[in-house]
Amino acid sequence: MIAALNKLFATCPLPSANTDPNQALKVYCEACSNYSADDVELAVKQFIEGTVKGVNAAFAPTAPQFVSQMRANLEYTGRIRAGKTALLEQFKEQERDEEWASKRTPEVKATVKKLVDAFVANQDEKRKPKTPEQLALEADMIRRHDKLFADQFMEFNGVKVSATLAGQFGVVLTPPDDVDETGDMGEMRE
Protein backbone atom coordinates (compact mmCIF):
# COMPACT_ATOMS: atom_id res chain seq x y z
CA MET A 1 0.00 0.00 0.00
CA ILE A 2 2.77 2.44 0.95
CA ALA A 3 4.77 1.53 -2.17
CA ALA A 4 1.72 2.28 -4.34
CA LEU A 5 1.12 5.62 -2.60
CA ASN A 6 4.81 6.57 -2.95
CA LYS A 7 4.49 5.79 -6.67
CA LEU A 8 1.49 8.16 -6.82
CA PHE A 9 3.38 10.94 -5.03
CA ALA A 10 6.46 10.41 -7.22
CA THR A 11 4.34 10.79 -10.35
CA CYS A 12 1.89 13.47 -9.21
CA PRO A 13 3.15 16.17 -6.85
CA LEU A 14 1.10 17.11 -3.81
CA PRO A 15 -1.08 20.20 -4.45
CA SER A 16 0.50 22.45 -1.86
CA ALA A 17 4.23 23.24 -2.07
CA ASN A 18 4.69 23.25 1.71
CA THR A 19 2.90 19.93 2.38
CA ASP A 20 5.07 17.44 4.22
CA PRO A 21 5.17 14.21 2.11
CA ASN A 22 5.49 12.05 5.25
CA GLN A 23 2.45 13.70 6.83
CA ALA A 24 0.50 13.29 3.56
CA LEU A 25 1.46 9.61 3.41
CA LYS A 26 0.23 9.17 7.00
CA VAL A 27 -3.12 10.83 6.18
CA TYR A 28 -3.53 8.67 3.06
CA CYS A 29 -2.69 5.50 5.01
CA GLU A 30 -5.30 6.36 7.66
CA ALA A 31 -7.88 7.11 4.97
CA CYS A 32 -7.09 3.83 3.17
CA SER A 33 -7.07 1.66 6.31
CA ASN A 34 -10.47 0.09 5.46
CA TYR A 35 -9.35 -0.91 1.96
CA SER A 36 -7.08 -3.64 0.64
CA ALA A 37 -3.69 -3.07 -1.01
CA ASP A 38 -5.28 -4.14 -4.32
CA ASP A 39 -7.90 -1.39 -3.97
CA VAL A 40 -5.15 1.18 -3.35
CA GLU A 41 -3.04 -0.06 -6.27
CA LEU A 42 -6.00 0.11 -8.65
CA ALA A 43 -6.84 3.68 -7.61
CA VAL A 44 -3.16 4.74 -7.94
CA LYS A 45 -3.06 3.21 -11.42
CA GLN A 46 -6.25 5.08 -12.40
CA PHE A 47 -4.92 8.43 -11.13
CA ILE A 48 -1.51 7.96 -12.79
CA GLU A 49 -3.15 7.00 -16.11
CA GLY A 50 -5.49 10.00 -15.83
CA THR A 51 -8.68 7.95 -16.18
CA VAL A 52 -10.37 9.54 -13.15
CA LYS A 53 -12.70 12.31 -14.31
CA GLY A 54 -13.11 15.58 -12.44
CA VAL A 55 -9.63 15.59 -10.87
CA ASN A 56 -6.70 17.79 -11.90
CA ALA A 57 -4.16 15.29 -13.23
CA ALA A 58 -1.31 17.75 -12.63
CA PHE A 59 -1.45 17.10 -8.88
CA ALA A 60 -2.01 14.13 -6.61
CA PRO A 61 -5.63 13.79 -5.47
CA THR A 62 -6.62 14.72 -1.95
CA ALA A 63 -7.16 11.84 0.46
CA PRO A 64 -10.98 12.18 0.21
CA GLN A 65 -10.80 12.15 -3.60
CA PHE A 66 -8.56 9.07 -3.49
CA VAL A 67 -10.88 7.22 -1.09
CA SER A 68 -13.93 8.24 -3.16
CA GLN A 69 -12.33 6.63 -6.21
CA MET A 70 -11.64 3.40 -4.30
CA ARG A 71 -15.27 3.37 -3.08
CA ALA A 72 -16.51 3.93 -6.64
CA ASN A 73 -14.32 1.04 -7.83
CA LEU A 74 -15.75 -1.25 -5.16
CA GLU A 75 -19.32 -0.24 -6.02
CA TYR A 76 -18.61 -0.90 -9.69
CA THR A 77 -17.11 -4.32 -9.03
CA GLY A 78 -19.99 -5.05 -6.63
CA ARG A 79 -22.49 -4.26 -9.38
CA ILE A 80 -20.57 -6.47 -11.81
CA ARG A 81 -20.48 -9.28 -9.23
CA ALA A 82 -24.21 -8.86 -8.54
CA GLY A 83 -24.90 -8.89 -12.29
CA LYS A 84 -22.90 -12.09 -12.73
CA THR A 85 -24.72 -13.68 -9.80
CA ALA A 86 -28.09 -12.66 -11.25
CA LEU A 87 -27.10 -13.99 -14.66
CA LEU A 88 -26.00 -17.33 -13.19
CA GLU A 89 -29.28 -17.56 -11.25
CA GLN A 90 -31.17 -16.82 -14.45
CA PHE A 91 -29.32 -19.66 -16.20
CA LYS A 92 -30.14 -22.01 -13.30
CA GLU A 93 -33.83 -21.03 -13.49
CA GLN A 94 -33.81 -21.62 -17.22
CA GLU A 95 -32.31 -25.08 -16.67
CA ARG A 96 -35.00 -25.84 -14.06
CA ASP A 97 -37.69 -24.63 -16.48
CA GLU A 98 -36.28 -26.87 -19.21
CA GLU A 99 -36.20 -29.80 -16.77
CA TRP A 100 -39.83 -29.21 -15.81
CA ALA A 101 -40.80 -28.74 -19.46
CA SER A 102 -39.41 -32.18 -20.21
CA LYS A 103 -41.66 -33.63 -17.50
CA ARG A 104 -44.82 -31.99 -18.88
CA THR A 105 -45.88 -34.95 -20.98
CA PRO A 106 -49.42 -35.27 -22.35
CA GLU A 107 -50.13 -37.96 -19.74
CA VAL A 108 -49.07 -35.68 -16.88
CA LYS A 109 -51.11 -32.81 -18.33
CA ALA A 110 -54.17 -35.08 -18.58
CA THR A 111 -53.75 -36.21 -14.95
CA VAL A 112 -53.46 -32.61 -13.75
CA LYS A 113 -56.53 -31.62 -15.78
CA LYS A 114 -58.53 -34.47 -14.19
CA LEU A 115 -57.47 -33.34 -10.70
CA VAL A 116 -58.37 -29.72 -11.42
CA ASP A 117 -61.72 -30.70 -12.94
CA ALA A 118 -62.50 -32.87 -9.87
CA PHE A 119 -61.61 -30.00 -7.56
CA VAL A 120 -63.81 -27.56 -9.50
CA ALA A 121 -66.69 -30.06 -9.49
CA ASN A 122 -66.28 -30.52 -5.73
CA GLN A 123 -66.35 -26.76 -5.22
CA ASP A 124 -69.45 -26.48 -7.41
CA GLU A 125 -71.10 -29.22 -5.32
CA LYS A 126 -70.31 -27.32 -2.12
CA ARG A 127 -71.93 -24.17 -3.51
CA LYS A 128 -75.27 -25.86 -4.15
CA PRO A 129 -78.00 -25.08 -1.64
CA LYS A 130 -78.36 -27.76 1.01
CA THR A 131 -81.49 -29.81 1.37
CA PRO A 132 -83.54 -29.60 4.58
CA GLU A 133 -82.32 -33.11 5.48
CA GLN A 134 -78.66 -32.06 5.12
CA LEU A 135 -79.27 -28.96 7.21
CA ALA A 136 -80.99 -31.06 9.89
CA LEU A 137 -78.07 -33.52 9.95
CA GLU A 138 -75.56 -30.68 10.30
CA ALA A 139 -77.62 -29.05 13.07
CA ASP A 140 -77.82 -32.41 14.88
CA MET A 141 -74.06 -32.89 14.58
CA ILE A 142 -73.41 -29.39 15.95
CA ARG A 143 -75.82 -30.07 18.85
CA ARG A 144 -74.07 -33.35 19.65
CA HIS A 145 -70.67 -31.69 19.45
CA ASP A 146 -71.77 -28.89 21.79
CA LYS A 147 -73.18 -31.47 24.22
CA LEU A 148 -69.97 -33.52 24.10
CA PHE A 149 -67.91 -30.41 24.77
CA ALA A 150 -70.16 -29.28 27.62
CA ASP A 151 -70.11 -32.81 29.12
CA GLN A 152 -66.31 -32.65 29.26
CA PHE A 153 -66.65 -30.23 32.19
CA MET A 154 -68.03 -30.96 35.62
CA GLU A 155 -68.30 -29.21 38.94
CA PHE A 156 -65.36 -30.11 41.18
CA ASN A 157 -65.04 -28.32 44.54
CA GLY A 158 -67.15 -25.45 43.24
CA VAL A 159 -65.14 -25.03 40.03
CA LYS A 160 -65.95 -26.27 36.50
CA VAL A 161 -63.09 -28.61 35.53
CA SER A 162 -62.36 -30.51 32.32
CA ALA A 163 -62.51 -34.29 32.35
CA THR A 164 -58.75 -34.46 31.76
CA LEU A 165 -57.97 -32.28 34.76
CA ALA A 166 -60.56 -34.06 36.91
CA GLY A 167 -58.90 -37.38 35.99
CA GLN A 168 -55.66 -36.07 37.46
CA PHE A 169 -57.51 -35.61 40.75
CA GLY A 170 -58.83 -39.18 40.58
CA VAL A 171 -62.36 -38.25 39.46
CA VAL A 172 -63.62 -40.18 36.42
CA LEU A 173 -66.30 -38.72 34.16
CA THR A 174 -68.66 -41.05 32.34
CA PRO A 175 -69.28 -40.27 28.67
CA PRO A 176 -72.72 -39.04 27.59
CA ASP A 177 -75.25 -41.59 26.31
CA ASP A 178 -74.79 -40.79 22.60
CA VAL A 179 -70.97 -40.88 22.68
CA ASP A 180 -68.98 -44.10 22.72
CA GLU A 181 -65.85 -44.72 24.82
CA THR A 182 -63.50 -43.36 22.14
CA GLY A 183 -65.28 -40.00 22.10
CA ASP A 184 -66.67 -40.60 18.59
CA MET A 185 -70.15 -39.14 18.13
CA GLY A 186 -71.05 -41.69 15.45
CA GLU A 187 -70.99 -41.85 11.69
CA MET A 188 -72.53 -38.81 10.06
CA ARG A 189 -70.61 -39.09 6.78
CA GLU A 190 -72.21 -39.78 3.42
Side-chain angles (χ1 to χ4, degrees):
M1 186 184 298
I2 292 173
L5 290 171
N6 280 331
K7 184 177 178 183
L8 175 68
F9 296 146
T11 308
C12 306
L14 292 168
S16 176
N18 58 5
T19 302
D20 179 16
N22 291 331
Q23 184 64 27
L25 184 61
K26 182 179 177 187
V27 170
Y28 272 79
C29 285
E30 288 174 6
C32 297
S33 63
N34 293 331
Y35 297 91
S36 72
D38 291 339
D39 297 333
V40 173
E41 288 175 9
L42 176 60
V44 166
K45 181 177 185 269
Q46 291 171 328
F47 278 107
I48 290 173
E49 292 175 352
T51 59
V52 180
K53 294 187 181 355
V55 177
N56 185 352
F59 297 101
T62 64
Q65 289 172 328
F66 190 78
V67 172
S68 293
Q69 183 60 30
M70 285 192 298
R71 190 177 314 113
N73 290 341
L74 288 176
E75 288 173 3
Y76 176 74
T77 55
R79 286 193 303 270
I80 289 176
R81 215 174 285 125
K84 285 181 181 177
T85 302
L87 187 60
L88 288 174
E89 187 60 33
Q90 187 175 3
F91 284 140
K92 287 179 187 174
E93 287 179 17
Q94 186 175 357
E95 288 172 3
R96 284 192 295 264
D97 288 346
E98 289 169 0
E99 180 183 341
W100 279 105
S102 68
K103 294 180 181 179
R104 291 185 194 119
T105 63
E107 297 82 23
V108 170
K109 288 180 181 180
T111 302
V112 170
K113 182 169 180 7
K114 284 180 190 176
L115 291 171
V116 169
D117 290 345
F119 175 77
V120 169
N122 188 20
Q123 295 303 310
D124 289 343
E125 188 66 33
K126 287 182 180 178
R127 289 190 199 122
K128 288 183 180 177
K130 295 183 180 173
T131 65
E133 295 82 24
Q134 289 172 323
L135 292 173
L137 280 173
E138 286 181 8
D140 184 51
M141 186 181 288
I142 291 171
R143 180 196 59 74
R144 292 175 70 192
H145 182 267
D146 289 345
K147 183 176 182 335
L148 174 68
F149 183 75
D151 288 343
Q152 293 298 311
F153 291 88
M154 65 175 277
E155 185 101 7
F156 184 75
N157 291 339
V159 178
K160 287 228 175 204
V161 178
S162 73
T164 305
L165 186 59
Q168 291 182 4
F169 289 109
V171 177
V172 178
L173 293 177
T174 57
D177 296 335
D178 60 346
V179 177
D180 64 21
E181 296 78 33
T182 64
D184 189 6
M185 295 187 300
E187 280 298 316
M188 298 288 292
R189 298 175 191 87
E190 293 178 356

